[in-house]
Amino acid sequence: MNELTHVRAKEIIARYPVARSALLPMLHLVQAEEGFVSQAGIAFCAEQLELTTAEVSAVATFYTMYKRTPCGEHLVSVCTNTLCAALGGDDIYARLSERLGVGHEETVGEPGTTGSLTLEHAECLAACDLAPVIQVNYEYYDNQTVDSAVELVDALRRGEKPPPTRGAPLTDLRTVELELAGFTEDEVVAAAAVAGPSAAPETLRGNTIAAERGWAAPALPGEHPALPPLQEKK
Ligand code: FES
């Protein structure tokens, strides 16, 4: 690991009362440097956190966000869980796999170079009301079709960064891994991420209807009266 990663590792560890509690962000940190969690990355985490490599491996192989082979500039996650699958997610995944010539957790292009993509099918991405959804580096592209998904990956392959439907502007996987470890290098991107729309109108529809009709959840006995429902952003 490079010198900066050593410095950042110390910063991460200092956030926790016990070093081993820092393992999850540490794994994101090594993934930010290498584009995946290598054996060297596992050994680095173990040494820094006074764990065994077996303990670190057990965690790194449990969570799907930690990749064991080098990833592309972008990670394209296609939700193929029940609702997305029924509304076209399976067709989208099959078409993208054919278009890119890769399968689950496989990469097209030289890993890490501009336009390289790693494809994966994902479990529910917590946006079922906007199905079928795709994430690129964990940013949402809602209400996809086979055609819009092909347009999206074609643009990514050309080195473009189409804006997500909501959330932060698209960067690249290594930048996002660094953010997940708790570091932001680009203040402009960070500010844009905070300012970006975080919720879709579909998600707030129930709140909107409740607000229009003056509905509120009844307070439980002994509790303060319920807050009025959130208003949909105009
Ligand atoms: S099933 Fe795809 S987001 Fe929930």
Side-chain angles (χ1 to χ4, degrees):
M1 295 298 118
N2 66 34
E3 202 175 316
L4 185 54
T5 296
H6 277 82
V7 171
R8 285 174 166 155
K10 291 204 173 357
E11 254 187 73
I12 292 173
I13 294 166
R15 295 179 199 150
Y16 297 90
V18 180
R20 64 190 296 141
S21 301
L23 179 53
L24 298 185
M26 285 284 287
L27 287 166
H28 285 299
L29 180 69
V30 299
Q31 195 156 256
E33 180 180 330
E34 297 196 296
F36 72 120
V37 179
S38 65
Q39 277 307 117
I42 285 172
F44 174 75
C45 291
E47 184 190 326
Q48 297 289 318
L49 304 176
E50 297 182 8
L51 295 168
T52 65
T53 53
E55 287 171 322
V56 176
S57 290
V59 174
T61 54
F62 179 81
Y63 294 106
T64 57
M65 287 173 82
Y66 301 122
K67 304 302 183 193
R68 302 309 312 280
T69 53
C71 288
E73 180 189 21
H74 302 296
L75 174 66
V76 178
S77 312
V78 182
C79 181
T80 52
N81 212 306
T82 312
L83 191 54
C84 283
L87 292 172
D90 280 345
D91 294 339
I92 289 172
Y93 179 81
R95 183 73 183 91
L96 293 192
S97 180
E98 179 188 64
R99 180 80 168 180
L100 299 171
V102 294
H104 178 61
E105 291 197 334
E106 291 178 354
T107 299
V108 56
E110 185 62 29
T113 60
T114 300
S116 56
L117 305 183
T118 299
L119 180 67
E120 68 174 3
H121 63 77
E123 297 302 323
C124 181
L125 295 173
C128 311
D129 49 344
L130 302 159
V133 296
I134 291 177
Q135 284 182 337
V136 180
N137 310 334
Y138 310 114
E139 300 299 346
Y140 282 102
Y141 294 82
D142 302 326
N143 296 312
Q144 291 293 298
T145 64
V146 170
D147 289 345
S148 67
V150 168
E151 276 174 33
L152 173 62
V153 298
D154 283 355
L156 294 170
R157 290 288 286 140
R158 291 193 297 269
E160 297 167 17
K161 292 183 176 171
T165 312
R166 55 201 159 90
L170 190 66
T171 53
D172 58 77
L173 184 59
R174 290 192 188 205
T175 300
V176 169
E177 288 298 326
L178 200 55
E179 288 171 359
L180 290 169
F183 300 95
T184 306
E185 285 188 322
D186 187 330
E187 296 303 324
V188 175
V189 170
V194 172
S198 59
E202 291 90 334
T203 310
L204 296 176
R205 187 69 68 222
N207 268 316
T208 304
I209 292 170
E212 285 167 1
R213 301 184 184 185
W215 296 343
L220 292 171
E223 280 195 345
H224 294 296
L227 293 170
L230 292 169
Q231 297 283 345
E232 191 174 315
K233 269 191 191 167
K234 300 290 179 210

